[in-house]
Amino acid sequence: MAPNETVLVEVADGVARLTLNRPDKLNAFDETMHRALHAALDEARWDETVRAILLTGAGRAFCAGQDLAAVDPRQAAGEPDLGETLEKLYNPLIRLIRDIEKPVVCAVNGVAAGAGASVALACDLVLAGRSAKFIQAFCRIGLIPDSGGTWTLTRLLGEARAKGLALTGQPLDAETAAAWGMIWRAVDDDHLMDEAGKLAASLAAGPTIGLGLTKRAIQAAATNSLDAQLDLERDLQREAGLTPDYAEGVAAFTGKRPAAFTGRR
Ligand code: T3D
């Protein structure tokens, strides 16, 4: 993978580590970083040597959302069309993260604000350093939570907490985010990258197809009826049962040895 200056890409031991890299702007999204992240995720999606993705930010923040200097309405020629930015850049990014059938781990290394918080919460397993904060900053500038934020917050937290965060813009600390079930874990800042790296490495050594199908099933549960979900589980389990990793998993269990999954079909 070619490195890009706004998103650093490192692939090792089955993990693609993508680092948002505009630290002087707290990794706020401009169009270049958007395109670089999308391209890096897409490449990791189809690279068979990549079996897990780890997303983080350079410097003291994870991501401060949209680069507000890049879209200053006072500088714009005509009326701003923020719907177009979402349609063109943010929505495809969120859909891509959700559609990648490999685990996507997010290491929130500092503040995650606006769409930066939404991007983090679109990932499958979110770890955050104890000093990290999640800020629904949109209300401070007259916007609504986007990039799936209204959907994700409401599903993860329920309406009361989603509205509390989105209408007040109050920062939520990592410990409370974990206690509320918004993220997987809060860890000491000094251990964040180590813990996130270990988690991504263990996922990368897992039964990749089965993990990808699990992701698909859990995501579908948000909108499916129980009947539809039972049917989906039947179909996906049929698919999982045809993978060499299923045969290996059972052989390893009966042979009382660790499984050596390949992640292949
Ligand atoms: O197209 C569309 O616009 C639609 C899509 C919208 C999606 C969105 O994400 S809308 C929400 C946009 N984000 C925000 O409103 C957050 C803005 N940032 C902040 O509120 C604060 O920076 C933080 C709470 C995140 C962190 O505060 P603090 O005190 O730790 O840092 P700081 O001093 O405010 O920021 C440090 C630098 O980063 C500073 O630059 P400077 O003065 O040192 O040259 C600041 O301007 C820059 N920065 C921070 N966030 C952004 C940013 N520059 C551009 N855009 C940002 N979002």
Side-chain angles (χ1 to χ4, degrees):
M1 285 183 200
N4 177 299
E5 61 177 17
T6 57
V7 176
L8 306 176
V9 180
E10 266 174 277
V11 178
D13 303 325
V15 177
R17 181 184 288 208
L18 314 184
T19 306
L20 306 177
N21 189 35
R22 303 185 73 222
D24 52 327
K25 303 283 179 195
L26 304 189
N27 303 317
F29 275 101
D30 64 357
E31 188 160 345
T32 306
M33 193 175 90
H34 255 297
R35 296 203 181 283
L37 179 59
H38 198 103
L41 283 166
D42 205 43
E43 196 163 343
R45 178 185 194 176
W46 300 117
D47 182 341
E48 286 193 356
T49 70
V50 171
R51 292 166 62 191
I53 297 168
L54 171 55
L55 178 63
T56 191
R60 70 179 176 90
F62 171 65
C63 174
Q66 172 63 39
D67 185 327
L68 297 176
V71 292
D72 186 342
R74 294 165 308 175
Q75 315 293 331
E79 288 187 333
D81 182 354
L82 303 193
E84 194 190 334
T85 322
L86 297 185
E87 185 66 22
K88 197 171 69 167
L89 299 170
Y90 286 99
N91 292 357
L93 174 63
I94 301 302
R95 289 190 175 108
L96 177 58
I97 293 170
R98 302 276 295 179
D99 287 349
I100 293 175
E101 292 213 336
K102 299 176 181 179
V104 182
V105 175
C106 186
V108 180
N109 53 301
V111 69
S118 303
V119 168
L121 297 181
C123 296
D124 302 315
L125 289 171
V126 184
L127 269 65
R130 282 189 216 286
S131 71
K133 294 202 174 352
F134 296 83
I135 308 179
Q136 297 301 315
F138 307 91
C139 62
R140 298 180 180 178
I141 55 169
L143 296 184
I144 69 157
D146 62 20
S147 309
T150 55
W151 191 91
T152 320
L153 283 176
T154 309
R155 272 175 176 70
L156 291 173
L157 300 179
E159 216 175 290
R161 283 172 170 164
K163 284 180 179 163
L165 294 176
L167 298 180
T168 68
Q170 277 179 25
L172 186 71
D173 62 83
E175 292 272 16
T176 310
W180 283 7
M182 192 175 95
I183 64 169
W184 175 233
R185 279 182 65 202
V187 299
D188 289 342
D189 289 356
D190 291 350
H191 297 154
L192 175 67
M193 291 319 297
D194 193 40
E195 292 284 331
K198 278 197 237 161
L199 177 62
S202 79
L203 292 164
T208 312
I209 309 296
L211 297 182
L213 296 174
T214 302
K215 172 173 174 172
R216 198 197 306 175
I218 288 176
Q219 290 177 178
T223 47
N224 268 349
S225 64
L226 175 59
D227 261 350
Q229 194 68 9
L230 288 171
D231 288 348
L232 180 67
E233 288 175 0
R234 174 201 60 212
D235 295 344
L236 299 185
Q237 197 70 298
R238 186 172 283 142
E239 206 176 323
L242 295 174
T243 61
D245 280 344
Y246 167 59
E248 166 61 10
V250 175
F253 176 76
T254 53
K256 299 190 187 300
R257 61 169 175 80
F261 295 119
T262 63
R264 298 197 178 272
R265 287 198 180 271

